[in-house]
Every structure is written in structure tokens, then in C-alpha cells.
């Protein structure tokens, strides 16, 4: 009987049976939330250093926190796993092209219970962004040279779930 709606930066929780509505969080920008492709789970910033991960299917929620002076950057979901990055306020800068960036120094993948599955962190390497596919996460990497960030390469993190769906068969 619950309906969840995101409109104009506000997450609404509507109880159709009780005919009432409440606001879960307001004032969200597009960089402060992510929703899974199928819409059953979302992560949204509730405080400066906190994000809430809410499973709309079962109503469970959990909190992800970072230290003061850091920021949580929600990147998305692969299945029910939440992928996010951590950036430090002092690392803000520009690319060689002059574009403002807030690079992440670490990417974390957590399962639906909040347990860390994998971390990606390398000294001197920063993550400028990520592209999430069904079973592949592509991290856009950069190095800091002076006051700017230069793109270097990409790092790939694969999810082995679903690899059984091969379309290649052996026949005789």
C-alpha cells in the first residue's frame, strides 16, 4: 500500500491505505540521490555526511556515513549492491580543460546489509566518475599534477553474478 515518488528534489512516501503522505527528504539535487533501474531501491542524502539507502520493496533502510570534511557521492546500484565514492573537500580542483571536479579517492561497494563487498582505492589515483552497467563498473581515473587533474585510464570492476547466462553452447 506504499507509494514512493520523487518530484522536484523531494522524496514522498504515500500510504494509499491510510490516505496520508509524508516527505522523506526535501531539497535534493541530482547529485544527492540515485535510484536502481527497476526503482525498488534508492539512496539519498539526508545530512551533510549521511546517506539513507531505502529498499521500497520491503521498507528496510540503512545509513551510510562518512567523516567530517568528506562527501559521499552516490554512483548507483548493481542488483541490490550500493556503489558510492568518497571525496575530500580539499581535493576539489579542475581538469586540464578547466572543468571543475570533485574527485573521489575511494569507491565502495556494499551489499544490501551494509557489508563492504569491495573497495577501490589507490594512492595518488583519483576517480572522476563511474559508469555502471548490469555486470560491469567502469571507473574514470585521474592523477593530480600541480593544481589540475589529468585523466589517465579506466579501471573495470566486474560482477560475476549473471555470467551463467551465456549464449554460447557446445554441440556435437
Amino acid at each position: 500500500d506504499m507509494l514512493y515518488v520523487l518530484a522536484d528534489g523531494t522524496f514522498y512516501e504515500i500510504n494509499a491505505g491510510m490516505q496520508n503522505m509524508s516527505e522523506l527528504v526535501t531539497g535534493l539535487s541530482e547529485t544527492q540521490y540515485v535510484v536502481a533501474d527497476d526503482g525498488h531501491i534508492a539512496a539519498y542524502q539526508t545530512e551533510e555526511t549521511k546517506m539513507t539507502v531505502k529498499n521500497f520493496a520491503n521498507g528496510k533502510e540503512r545509513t551510510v556515513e562518512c567523516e567530517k570534511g568528506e562527501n559521499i557521492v552516490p554512483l548507483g546500484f548493481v542488483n541490490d549492491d550500493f556503489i558510492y565514492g568518497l571525496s575530500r573537500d580539499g581535493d576539489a580542483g579542475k581538469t586540464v580543460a578547466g572543468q571543475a571536479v570533485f574527485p573521489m579517492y575511494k569507491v565502495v561497494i556494499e551489499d544490501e546489509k551494509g557489508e563492504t563487498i569491495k573497495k577501490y582505492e589507490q594512492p595518488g589515483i583519483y576517480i572522476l566518475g563511474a559508469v555502471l552497467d548490469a555486470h560491469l563498473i567502469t571507473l574514470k581515473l585521474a592523477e593530480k599534477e600541480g593544481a589540475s587533474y589529468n585523466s589517465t585510464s579506466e579501471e573495470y570492476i566486474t560482477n560475476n553474478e549473471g555470467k551463467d547466462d551465456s549464449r554460447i553452447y557446445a554441440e556435437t
Side-chain angles (χ1 to χ4, degrees), residues 100-120:
V101 291
F102 300 93
M104 297 167 274
Y105 69 92
K106 182 193 311 188
V107 168
V108 180
I109 302 172
E110 290 185 351
D111 66 12
E112 62 184 309
K113 296 177 184 170
E115 295 179 19
T116 301
I117 296 171
K118 184 168 182 74
K119 289 182 187 179
Y120 178 85

Side-chain angles (χ1 to χ4, degrees), residues 87-94 100-103 144 147 149:
S87 67
R88 294 182 278 250
D89 293 341
D91 288 338
K94 295 185 184 247
V101 291
F102 300 93
K144 188 171 185 177
Y149 290 91

Side-chain angles (χ1 to χ4, degrees), residues 1-169:
D1 290 343
M2 299 302 286
L3 173 67
Y4 296 91
V5 177
L6 173 65
D8 294 327
T10 301
F11 258 124
Y12 297 97
E13 181 178 61
I14 303 166
N15 187 329
M18 302 288 289
Q19 297 184 349
N20 65 4
M21 177 180 74
S22 62
E23 295 177 352
L24 294 175
V25 65
T26 61
L28 292 174
S29 71
E30 289 185 12
T31 60
Q32 294 177 306
Y33 67 89
V34 289
V35 180
D37 288 339
D38 66 1
H40 85 284
I41 191 168
Y44 50 90
Q45 190 165 14
T46 52
E47 293 179 27
E48 189 174 316
T49 59
K50 290 184 181 180
M51 292 208 74
T52 297
V53 180
K54 185 164 182 86
N55 186 323
F56 300 128
N58 60 23
K60 293 182 180 177
E61 65 180 45
R62 62 185 178 85
T63 302
V64 176
E65 296 185 56
C66 65
E67 301 292 323
K68 189 172 173 124
E70 292 183 337
N71 302 292
I72 300 172
V73 182
L75 299 174
F77 293 93
V78 173
N79 299 324
D80 287 345
D81 299 336
F82 177 44
I83 296 96
Y84 64 92
L86 294 173
S87 67
R88 294 182 278 250
D89 293 341
D91 288 338
K94 295 185 184 247
T95 63
V96 218
Q99 179 185 10
V101 291
F102 300 93
M104 297 167 274
Y105 69 92
K106 182 193 311 188
V107 168
V108 180
I109 302 172
E110 290 185 351
D111 66 12
E112 62 184 309
K113 296 177 184 170
E115 295 179 19
T116 301
I117 296 171
K118 184 168 182 74
K119 289 182 187 179
Y120 178 85
E121 180 178 20
Q122 288 186 8
I125 301 293
Y126 295 87
I127 301 109
L128 296 181
V131 176
L132 280 66
D133 203 357
H135 302 290
L136 179 69
I137 301 167
T138 305
L139 302 177
K140 311 284 185 185
L141 305 180
E143 291 181 5
K144 188 171 185 177
E145 293 182 19
S148 65
Y149 290 91
N150 294 328
S151 294
T152 57
S153 61
E154 295 180 340
E155 183 74 24
Y156 303 96
I157 301 172
T158 60
N159 177 356
N160 291 330
E161 280 186 34
K163 288 200 175 187
D164 297 337
D165 298 338
S166 176
R167 299 187 197 285
I168 301 172
Y169 303 97

